[in-house]
Structures are given as C-alpha cells and as structure tokens.
Amino acid sequence: MVALACTEHPHFVPSLAEAGEDFSGTQLHYSVDTVRYFRHVYHGHGDRIYFIIGADAFLDIPMWKGYETLLGLCDFIIANRPGIRAEALRLVIPPDLIARPGAKKENGHPSQVVAELQRTTIYLLENVANDVSATDVRRRASRGQSIHGLVSSRVEEYILKQGLYR
C-alpha cells in the first residue's frame, strides 16, 4: 500500500527494508529495529532520520517494543490531531529521556518543539491539512463504511479488492 500511495508523489520512494528476504512482507518488524537499520545504512552520511507519526499513535508509544530506545534513535514529527494537546504528548515521554534545561538549543520555533530529549527532538506539526488517521481508515473499512477520499484511489482499490480489515 505504501508503494501504491507513493506512485502519486514523485519525490516519495518506498523502502523495502521491512519486506523481508523473500519480499513477502509477512515477517513481523518493530519500529525500533527498522530505525536501527536505517541508522546503520546512513551512518556517517550527515543525514537525520525523522519518524512521522500521528498524535493519536504517539500517545500509544509506551506500548511499543523498545519505545524508550526508539525515542533516542531518531527525531519525531508528530502530526497533531483535533483535541490532542502538546502536554498530553509530553506525558508519555519518560522523564529520564528529557534533556536538562539549556543542554540543547533548537533552531526551530519553540512552539514546534514538544520536547528536547538527550539526543533527539520531538516536533509537533500543528497545521495538518487532513486529520485522517490510519486507525480511522481501518475502523471504517472493518465496518464496511466508505474510505473514499481518506486514502489515495489506488490504496482504496487495493483495500477493497483484498478485503483488508474485515
């Protein structure tokens, strides 16, 4: 589905990092391991890794495998959702990961920074053009409701043909 969604955006290139050796995509992958893989691949290139996630999903991050490690491996960009405040997002970050005050200066606008961690930064993307979440898409598809306009037409067609989330 990522590859289908990327066809409409020429600057997006889907990765096969989680496809597995047989490219079946059936093997279970954890975000912490995927980020470690990309850090290894791009080590020393001066590139930064950003994990883009919806605010609703970020609130559940304490349930993820190795989430404390993950928070220290890459910067996060959190796409805000209606009704979620930055304070709520800060509450799921373990206090021992937060940098000492004045330990790090960020160039971005302070309201865009949810938290400065010891090695990474968590940013909040406030002006999200579309407040659709993957959770909402899965929920609607499981109920047989329309997902038209919530995902690209190619992804919608794939979900319907494969009977996903039913």
Short mmCIF file of all heavy atoms in Angstrom, two decimals, residues 1 12 17 22 30 32 67 77 88 91 111 115-116 119 145:
data_model
loop_
_atom_site.label_atom_id
_atom_site.label_comp_id
_atom_site.label_asym_id
_atom_site.label_seq_id
_atom_site.Cartn_x
_atom_site.Cartn_y
_atom_site.Cartn_z
N MET A 1 0.83 -1.19 0.00
CA MET A 1 0.00 0.00 0.00
C MET A 1 0.87 1.25 0.00
O MET A 1 0.48 2.25 -0.60
CB MET A 1 -0.95 -0.01 1.20
CG MET A 1 -2.09 -1.01 1.04
SD MET A 1 -3.37 -0.88 2.31
CE MET A 1 -2.54 -1.62 3.70
N PHE A 12 8.55 10.76 -3.29
CA PHE A 12 8.48 9.73 -2.27
C PHE A 12 8.97 8.41 -2.87
O PHE A 12 8.55 8.03 -3.96
CB PHE A 12 7.06 9.52 -1.76
CG PHE A 12 6.51 10.67 -0.94
CD1 PHE A 12 7.21 11.85 -0.76
CD2 PHE A 12 5.28 10.54 -0.34
CE1 PHE A 12 6.69 12.89 0.00
CE2 PHE A 12 4.75 11.58 0.42
CZ PHE A 12 5.46 12.75 0.59
N ALA A 17 12.81 -2.09 3.21
CA ALA A 17 13.51 -2.50 4.43
C ALA A 17 12.70 -3.49 5.27
O ALA A 17 13.28 -4.33 5.94
CB ALA A 17 13.85 -1.27 5.27
N ASP A 22 12.37 -12.54 1.35
CA ASP A 22 11.56 -13.05 0.23
C ASP A 22 10.61 -11.99 -0.32
O ASP A 22 9.79 -12.28 -1.18
CB ASP A 22 10.79 -14.29 0.67
CG ASP A 22 9.78 -14.01 1.77
OD1 ASP A 22 9.76 -12.87 2.31
OD2 ASP A 22 9.00 -14.93 2.10
N TYR A 30 9.55 -4.45 14.03
CA TYR A 30 9.31 -3.45 15.05
C TYR A 30 9.98 -2.16 14.63
O TYR A 30 11.08 -2.16 14.06
CB TYR A 30 9.85 -3.91 16.40
CG TYR A 30 9.10 -5.11 16.95
CD1 TYR A 30 9.62 -6.39 16.81
CD2 TYR A 30 7.87 -4.95 17.57
CE1 TYR A 30 8.93 -7.49 17.30
CE2 TYR A 30 7.17 -6.03 18.06
CZ TYR A 30 7.70 -7.31 17.92
OH TYR A 30 7.01 -8.38 18.40
N VAL A 32 11.56 0.09 16.26
CA VAL A 32 12.89 0.29 16.82
C VAL A 32 13.95 -0.41 15.96
O VAL A 32 15.04 0.13 15.74
CB VAL A 32 12.96 -0.14 18.30
CG1 VAL A 32 12.80 -1.64 18.48
CG2 VAL A 32 14.25 0.35 18.96
N TYR A 67 10.32 1.24 23.08
CA TYR A 67 9.96 2.63 22.76
C TYR A 67 10.93 3.64 23.34
O TYR A 67 11.21 4.67 22.72
CB TYR A 67 8.52 2.94 23.16
CG TYR A 67 8.33 3.35 24.60
CD1 TYR A 67 8.21 4.69 24.94
CD2 TYR A 67 8.24 2.41 25.62
CE1 TYR A 67 8.03 5.09 26.25
CE2 TYR A 67 8.05 2.79 26.92
CZ TYR A 67 7.94 4.12 27.24
OH TYR A 67 7.77 4.50 28.53
N ILE A 77 8.40 13.65 14.27
CA ILE A 77 7.50 14.71 13.84
C ILE A 77 6.10 14.16 14.09
O ILE A 77 5.69 13.17 13.49
CB ILE A 77 7.69 15.07 12.36
CG1 ILE A 77 9.10 15.62 12.13
CG2 ILE A 77 6.62 16.08 11.93
CD1 ILE A 77 9.43 15.88 10.67
N ALA A 88 -0.19 16.52 26.67
CA ALA A 88 -0.54 15.09 26.71
C ALA A 88 0.55 14.27 26.03
O ALA A 88 0.89 13.17 26.48
CB ALA A 88 -1.88 14.85 26.03
N LEU A 91 3.58 13.78 28.29
CA LEU A 91 3.38 12.86 29.41
C LEU A 91 3.79 11.42 29.11
O LEU A 91 4.07 10.66 30.03
CB LEU A 91 1.91 12.89 29.86
CG LEU A 91 1.46 14.16 30.57
CD1 LEU A 91 -0.04 14.12 30.85
CD2 LEU A 91 2.25 14.39 31.84
N SER A 111 7.35 26.71 19.83
CA SER A 111 6.04 26.07 19.88
C SER A 111 6.00 24.80 19.03
O SER A 111 5.11 23.99 19.19
CB SER A 111 4.94 27.03 19.44
OG SER A 111 5.09 27.34 18.07
N ALA A 115 9.37 18.32 22.90
CA ALA A 115 10.37 18.02 23.92
C ALA A 115 11.74 17.89 23.28
O ALA A 115 11.88 17.37 22.17
CB ALA A 115 10.02 16.73 24.65
N GLU A 116 12.73 18.36 24.01
CA GLU A 116 14.14 18.14 23.67
C GLU A 116 14.58 16.95 24.49
O GLU A 116 14.56 17.00 25.73
CB GLU A 116 14.98 19.36 24.04
CG GLU A 116 14.69 20.59 23.23
CD GLU A 116 15.39 20.59 21.89
OE1 GLU A 116 16.14 19.65 21.59
OE2 GLU A 116 15.17 21.56 21.14
N ARG A 119 19.29 13.09 23.01
CA ARG A 119 19.94 13.01 21.69
C ARG A 119 19.03 13.37 20.53
O ARG A 119 19.46 13.41 19.38
CB ARG A 119 20.50 11.60 21.48
CG ARG A 119 21.61 11.23 22.44
CD ARG A 119 22.22 9.86 22.14
NE ARG A 119 21.26 8.78 22.07
CZ ARG A 119 20.90 8.02 23.10
NH1 ARG A 119 21.41 8.22 24.27
NH2 ARG A 119 20.04 7.05 22.94
N GLN A 145 -17.75 0.84 5.91
CA GLN A 145 -18.02 2.24 5.56
C GLN A 145 -17.04 2.69 4.48
O GLN A 145 -15.96 2.12 4.32
CB GLN A 145 -17.86 3.13 6.80
CG GLN A 145 -18.87 2.82 7.89
CD GLN A 145 -18.58 3.59 9.17
OE1 GLN A 145 -17.43 3.82 9.53
NE2 GLN A 145 -19.64 3.98 9.86
#
